[in-house]
Amino acid sequence: MLELIICSLVTILPDYLLRRKFQDKRWGREINFFTVWYELRWGITLCAMLTISLITVVFYYHPQTKNVSSYFRTVTILSESAGRVAEVYVENNSKVSAGDRIFGLDSTRQEAALETAMRQIEEVDASLALAQSDRAAAEAAVDQAQAALTQTTDDLERQRSLFERGSSAVSERDVEILENERDVRQGALDAAFAGIDAVEANITVLLPARRASAEAALEQAEVELDKMTVYAGTDAVVEQFALQVGDIVNPILRPAGVLVPRGSGSGRFQAGFSQISAQVVKPGGVAEITCISKPFTIIPMVITGVQDVIAAGQIRPSDRLVDPQNQGAPGSVTVFMEPIYPGQTDDIPPGSRCVANAYTSFHAELEDPDADLGFLTRVSMHVVDTVGLVHAAGLRIQSLLLPLQTLVLTGH
C-alpha cells in the first residue's frame, strides 16, 4: 500500500494539479477516471508493475510471519502405579525444587510387604545362629564317633592278637563281631563328617543365598514403597494441580497435574516462515519481533538455527500408503531465534504469541571494493536494503496496532 501511494504521488497527483491549475479543467467534466487513465495509462501500468515487483522483493528478502512463539516444555505429574491419594504436600502454582515431594499414595500394602521382607531377614539370621549350634553338635558327634572307632579298633587288635596266639578265651566269632562293629563305627564317623559338611554348606551357601534373596525382597519392597510418593524431577512450578486426599490417580487415565520447569522456553523463540523463505532465512541473520505480552516494544533477534525438515512432510509407518494429494497445509520453515542483547526477553512469558520480520542485508557485499558486482546487481541490493528500512517501519507500526487488534479479537 505504501508503495502504491508513493507511485500515485509522482504520477496521478502531478497530472491532476497540472490540468486543474494550469489548464483550468474541472473534476467530473474534463477530468474523470477515463481521462486520467488514458493520459497516464503507461505511467500507471509501469507504477503497478513496479509496485508488484517491489512488494515481491520486500516479502521475499524480508519475510514476515505471525506464527512466532516461545515454546516451553512441560512434565506431567504421574505416579508409576494407580492408587488412592493419602497425602498432598504442595498447592497449585507453588514452586518446587528437584526432589521435593508432591503427593503420596496409600502405601498399606507396600508397608506390609516391607515388614514381611524384614521378618524374612530376621528368620534367616535366626537360622544362621541355629546352624552355628548344629555345627558344634556335628563336631561333637565327630569326636564321639572317632572315640568309639578308636575303642573298637583297639578291642579288635587285642582280640585278634589273642586269637592268633591260640588263646581259648577268644573265638573266631568274637573277632568277626569286633570287625563288624569297627565297620559300623567307621560308617558313623563318615556320617558325622558328612553332617559337618552339610552344616558348613548350610552356613556358607544356603543361608547366605536365602539372606541375599530376603535382602533383595527388602530392597524391592523399599522401592515399591518409595514409588508411592511422587517427587519433582526438576525445579519447576506446579500447574493445573487440584489433587485432594482420597482422589484416585491413574498413570494412564488421570494425571495429577503439570510441572513447568523454570527457565523452559525463556529467551528462545520459534517462528514458522513460509516455504518461499527457505533460501533467504539462514542462521546468523537478523530479525525483529514484537509480542502481545510486551506491547510497543521491538526486540532485535538473531537467527540461531533453521530446522532441516518441514513438519508437514512427517509420516508414520502404517498399513496404508501415503497419498500426496491428501496432504493438508504445506507447512512452514521452522526458525529458531534468540535475542541479540541478553535480558530483553526475560519479562516475556513463555508461550507468548509474537510477530517477526527477518531481514536480509547486503551491506557487506556493497562495501567490499573487491566484489565483482554489476550495476544492476548493486542497484537491486541497494533497493533491498532500502526497502528493509521501510519494512522495519511497518513492523513498528504493527507493534502499536497489535495490542489493539488483540483487544478487539478477545472482546475486551
Side-chain angles (χ1 to χ4, degrees):
M1 181 61 68
L2 182 62
E3 294 83 356
L4 184 59
I5 293 175
I6 294 175
C7 288
S8 301
L9 291 177
V10 297
T11 55
I12 299 177
L13 182 60
D15 177 74
Y16 172 77
L17 294 176
L18 175 64
R19 293 199 287 175
R20 180 69 180 88
K21 298 298 183 181
F22 296 97
Q23 297 179 3
D24 197 22
K25 295 181 180 180
R26 291 171 293 179
W27 177 259
R29 294 186 181 182
E30 294 84 357
I31 303 176
N32 51 43
F33 286 108
F34 177 76
T35 58
V36 172
W37 161 251
Y38 186 80
E39 295 290 340
L40 302 176
R41 59 187 182 277
W42 300 110
I44 293 176
T45 303
L46 180 60
C47 283
M49 294 176 61
L50 291 177
T51 300
I52 295 174
S53 301
L54 192 57
I55 292 175
T56 303
V57 170
V58 168
F59 284 99
Y60 181 76
Y61 286 102
H62 305 289
Q64 181 184 29
T65 179
K66 295 182 179 180
N67 302 318
V68 183
S69 182
S70 54
Y71 295 102
F72 58 92
R73 182 177 63 92
T74 61
V75 180
T76 305
I77 303 176
L78 286 175
S79 58
E80 294 191 18
S81 60
R84 187 176 298 276
V85 178
E87 294 179 280
V88 178
Y89 304 105
V90 298
E91 297 179 354
N92 193 35
N93 296 327
S94 60
K95 296 181 179 180
V96 295
S97 300
D100 289 349
R101 297 182 297 177
I102 299 178
F103 68 91
L105 300 177
D106 181 33
S107 58
T108 304
R109 180 169 56 86
Q110 287 75 18
E111 291 175 356
L114 179 63
E115 185 68 21
T116 300
M118 295 175 63
R119 298 287 82 81
Q120 288 178 350
I121 292 179
E122 294 178 357
E123 181 181 352
V124 172
D125 291 340
S127 299
L128 183 60
L130 182 61
Q132 298 290 347
S133 301
D134 292 341
R135 180 172 60 182
E139 292 175 350
V142 169
D143 294 339
Q144 182 179 1
Q146 183 68 47
L149 177 61
T150 301
Q151 180 66 36
T152 302
T153 302
D154 292 343
D155 291 343
L156 176 62
E157 294 297 331
R158 185 173 58 255
Q159 294 291 342
R160 183 178 293 170
S161 176
L162 293 175
F163 178 75
E164 291 176 352
R165 292 183 206 175
S167 173
S168 59
V170 178
S171 64
E172 183 178 359
R173 178 62 180 168
D174 294 334
V175 174
E176 292 178 354
I177 291 175
L178 289 176
E179 288 178 350
N180 293 333
E181 186 176 357
R182 183 196 60 184
D183 294 339
V184 172
R185 300 297 183 185
Q186 183 64 46
L189 180 61
D190 294 339
F193 279 116
I196 289 180
D197 294 338
V199 172
E200 289 292 338
N202 195 25
I203 293 175
T204 59
V205 179
L206 180 60
L207 291 180
R210 287 182 179 177
R211 197 177 198 285
S213 299
E215 290 176 349
L218 178 62
E219 292 179 359
Q220 182 179 1
E222 291 175 347
V223 170
E224 294 296 330
L225 182 60
D226 290 338
K227 289 181 180 180
M228 293 297 101
T229 302
V230 178
Y231 300 89
T234 182
D235 298 344
V237 179
V238 181
E239 301 289 351
Q240 299 181 4
F241 186 81
L243 207 61
Q244 301 294 330
V245 175
D247 289 346
I248 298 295
V249 175
N250 191 305
I252 299 177
L253 302 178
R254 188 182 180 187
V258 174
L259 288 179
V260 180
R262 300 178 195 174
S264 177
S266 298
R268 187 173 176 85
F269 291 78
Q270 294 78 33
F273 289 93
S274 62
Q275 294 187 22
I276 198 173
S277 306
Q279 304 303 319
V280 177
V281 180
K282 299 295 182 181
V286 180
E288 290 181 332
I289 66 170
T290 179
C291 300
I292 301 175
S293 57
K294 192 176 182 180
F296 314 119
T297 304
I298 302 296
I299 303 174
M301 308 289 288
V302 60
I303 298 174
T304 58
V306 179
Q307 189 168 278
D308 296 333
V309 297
I310 296 176
Q314 180 181 358
I315 61 172
R316 292 183 178 180
S318 63
D319 56 349
R320 299 183 61 183
L321 294 176
V322 177
D323 191 346
Q325 73 174 358
N326 296 329
Q327 190 173 2
S332 58
V333 178
T334 303
V335 177
F336 304 94
M337 299 183 296
E338 294 181 2
I340 295 179
Y341 306 105
Q344 285 192 314
T345 59
D346 291 346
D347 52 353
I348 298 179
S352 299
R353 293 304 298 269
C354 307
V355 177
N357 279 352
Y359 302 106
T360 301
S361 175
F362 295 100
H363 292 295
E365 291 83 350
L366 292 172
E367 294 176 358
D368 187 4
D370 299 329
D372 187 13
L373 302 175
F375 174 76
L376 293 179
T377 302
R378 289 185 179 274
V379 170
S380 61
M381 287 182 177
H382 277 294
V383 171
V384 170
D385 286 342
T386 303
V387 172
L389 298 177
V390 178
H391 209 206
L395 179 64
R396 280 152 177 78
I397 296 174
Q398 192 169 7
S399 69
L400 300 176
L401 299 178
L402 189 60
L404 300 178
Q405 295 174 358
T406 304
L407 292 176
V408 172
L409 293 177
T410 56
H412 291 85

